[in-house]
Amino acid sequence: MNIRSMAAVLAATVMLPLGAAHATDLEVTHWWTSGGEAAAVAELAKAFNATGNKWVDGAIAGSGGTARPIMISRITGGDPMAATQFNHGRQAEELVQAGLMRDFTDLAKKEGWDKIVRPAGLLKSCTFEGKIYCVPLNIHSWQWLWLSNDAFKKAGVAVPKNWDEYVAAAPALEKAGIVPLAVGGQAWQSTGLFSVLTVAIGGKEIYQKVYGDKDAKVAAGPEMAKVFKAADDARKMSKGTNVQDWNQATNMVITGKAGGQIMGDWAQGEFQLAGKKAGVDYTCLPGLGVNEVISTAGDAFYFPVLKDAAKTKAQEALASSLLDAKTQVAFNLKKGSLPVRGDVDLAAANDCMKKGLEILAKGNVVTSTDQLITQDTQKQLEDLMSQFFANTSITAEEAQKRFVAIFSKAG
């Protein structure tokens, strides 16, 4: 039975989670479990608790790929949480279509979300058939290369200013016993890395034609061949990483065991928690120092339909608190992401965050893959990239052919 057909049955059976202490306790599920992420979540809980309600933390260990199926299963199975994290884009599309998520259009109009959420496309990602179903929380961009200044000092080479210099420095890093590029073993990490290479090496136009327009001819072309060559360099540089989680890979950079990592700006939270200073202990290169852009990825909260009136009312209080100016600053400074409000004071932002803000202000943005491709296409890409990075017998040419096959059928 698919999600859409289950909606009518569930409408009469949705129940509150067992063990709720009182009506204004709200269970909130998310996958933020690293040290930096936990510190950021504490700011959200603090803001919501100040409304007189109580944040009941429902953290799910692992990545979004691990957490999302659990979240979806609970919602479709009649045991919904009060609020849940998804990424901006199409991840909750079927749940919305099935009528399992709350419509927040009235609250959004009352509070003028369209006037404060920037870029406007973030709110559009929460909109289905003219109605708003989620609260965008932050702007997370994949388009970053994080470098350990100590690692390059130990290797006796200058900190790279772009991808080509980084690849050229790899032999010196290896000679010094340092893994050039840390890449965790989870498929979403190599897939995200590849999308960053597509923008940096292929360019914004190629990225949009492939991921946005699903142009198989462009996917098979010479520009994407250059991207696959760069991906081949990346997998060679990542040999010896031997960790699974993204924050473990980030820790390799923090401790100088790896020269760098291609990872979203959420990595900043780990550097901050470790007491490292941007521009001193580590260097950040947006767009790999080649194409300085920001992708409009990020996190949003959706609110499943509940039958309890008090909890339903408290959901609105939570939604409002997430977009509160003070909450936006407190959360994003610790998360490493950019706020979705364009009217907040980020004087305390570090050098890397300021770089991101400058790029955003210039309008140098690309739409995130979460907003462009379906979950089915994403899973196929993860399977491909996982195999490509794990098995060097798969050539770049063979991988590109499989890539083209995926986008020739992508919806």
Side-chain angles (χ1 to χ4, degrees):
M1 183 181 295
N2 60 34
I3 292 176
R4 188 187 297 273
S5 64
M6 292 173 70
V9 175
L10 292 170
T13 62
V14 171
M15 300 294 289
L16 297 174
L18 295 176
H22 52 79
T24 53
D25 281 7
L26 292 189
E27 182 194 10
V28 184
T29 57
H30 58 86
W31 56 82
W32 292 319
T33 55
S34 75
E37 290 172 328
V41 171
E43 295 294 340
L44 299 182
K46 178 181 176 182
F48 179 59
N49 291 344
T51 68
N53 298 292
K54 183 180 179 182
W55 174 292
V56 178
D57 201 68
I60 300 173
S63 66
T66 300
R68 278 190 297 274
I70 297 172
M71 296 165 172
I72 292 171
S73 178
R74 282 192 54 185
I75 295 167
T76 58
D79 180 30
M81 62 297 291
T84 189
Q85 171 199 8
F86 284 109
N87 296 122
H88 301 150
R90 304 177 67 175
Q91 292 177 356
E93 190 172 74
E94 289 190 33
L95 295 171
V96 171
Q97 291 174 334
L100 298 174
M101 290 298 187
R102 279 196 63 183
D103 172 6
F104 271 90
T105 306
D106 290 343
L107 183 65
K109 289 181 177 178
K110 178 182 176 182
E111 298 184 349
W113 293 1
D114 62 327
K115 296 179 177 63
I116 61 175
V117 173
R118 293 292 180 272
L122 297 180
L123 196 58
K124 184 178 180 181
S125 292
C126 285
T127 304
F128 179 74
E129 294 184 348
K131 297 181 179 180
I132 296 171
Y133 287 91
C134 69
V135 182
L137 181 63
N138 58 10
I139 301 169
H140 262 319
S141 177
W142 253 104
Q143 315 297 319
W144 294 90
L145 172 59
W146 309 94
L147 300 170
S148 166
N149 290 359
D150 284 344
F152 287 94
K153 182 178 180 180
K154 180 180 177 181
V157 292
V159 176
K161 295 182 176 64
N162 56 52
W163 174 254
D164 288 340
E165 291 184 7
Y166 183 36
V167 174
L173 290 167
E174 291 176 333
K175 187 175 180 180
I178 298 168
V179 175
L181 176 65
V183 181
Q186 296 161 330
W188 68 269
Q189 296 180 54
S190 52
T191 307
L193 179 155
F194 185 83
S195 71
V196 174
L197 289 174
T198 303
V199 178
I201 308 302
K204 291 171 63 176
E205 185 177 350
I206 294 296
Y207 171 84
Q208 180 60 39
K209 284 184 177 179
V210 174
Y211 285 90
D213 300 339
K214 318 299 187 296
D215 192 322
K217 184 177 180 180
V218 173
E223 296 305 316
M224 282 305 301
K226 294 177 184 177
V227 176
F228 274 92
K229 168 59 172 62
D232 185 41
D233 289 335
R235 72 174 172 179
K236 292 173 182 175
M237 292 166 66
S238 67
K239 183 179 179 181
T241 299
N242 296 327
V243 299
Q244 286 294 309
D245 296 336
W246 70 269
N247 53 309
Q248 292 176 317
T250 303
N251 188 62
M252 291 180 67
V253 181
I254 291 172
T255 57
K257 294 178 181 178
Q261 178 190 27
I262 295 175
M263 184 52 60
D265 48 18
W266 49 89
Q268 282 198 91
E270 303 304 301
F271 283 102
Q272 181 173 308
L273 194 67
K276 301 299 182 180
K277 186 175 181 180
V280 176
D281 301 304
Y282 65 98
T283 296
C284 54
L285 297 180
L288 310 189
V290 181
N291 281 315
E292 292 194 348
V293 299
I294 291 294
S295 60
T296 53
D299 302 293
F301 273 95
Y302 286 78
F303 299 79
V305 174
L306 302 176
K307 296 188 71 175
D308 186 288
K311 287 184 180 291
T312 297
K313 187 66 177 177
Q315 284 178 320
E316 296 176 11
L318 175 55
S320 294
S321 72
L322 295 173
L323 281 177
D324 177 79
K326 291 181 179 179
T327 307
Q328 281 279 303
V329 172
F331 172 79
N332 286 294
L333 285 178
K334 290 188 176 179
K335 188 69 166 64
S337 48
L338 302 179
V340 297
R341 291 189 66 137
D343 59 351
V344 296
D345 180 13
L346 282 175
N350 66 29
D351 289 348
C352 293
M353 187 176 285
K354 287 177 180 176
K355 285 183 181 180
L357 289 168
E358 290 171 3
I359 294 169
L360 189 64
K362 293 176 183 177
N364 294 342
V365 300
V366 293
T367 305
S368 75
T369 57
D370 288 327
Q371 296 165 292
L372 294 174
I373 61 176
T374 65
Q375 285 298 288
D376 179 60
T377 300
Q378 175 68 19
K379 182 62 170 63
Q380 292 180 62
L381 290 175
E382 288 182 356
D383 289 343
L384 169 59
M385 291 304 157
S386 177
Q387 293 169 27
F388 178 71
F389 271 78
N391 185 357
T392 55
S393 69
I394 300 175
T395 67
E397 292 76 16
E398 291 170 347
Q400 186 175 4
K401 289 179 181 178
R402 290 175 57 181
F403 183 80
V404 172
I406 290 171
F407 277 97
S408 66
K409 301 176 182 178

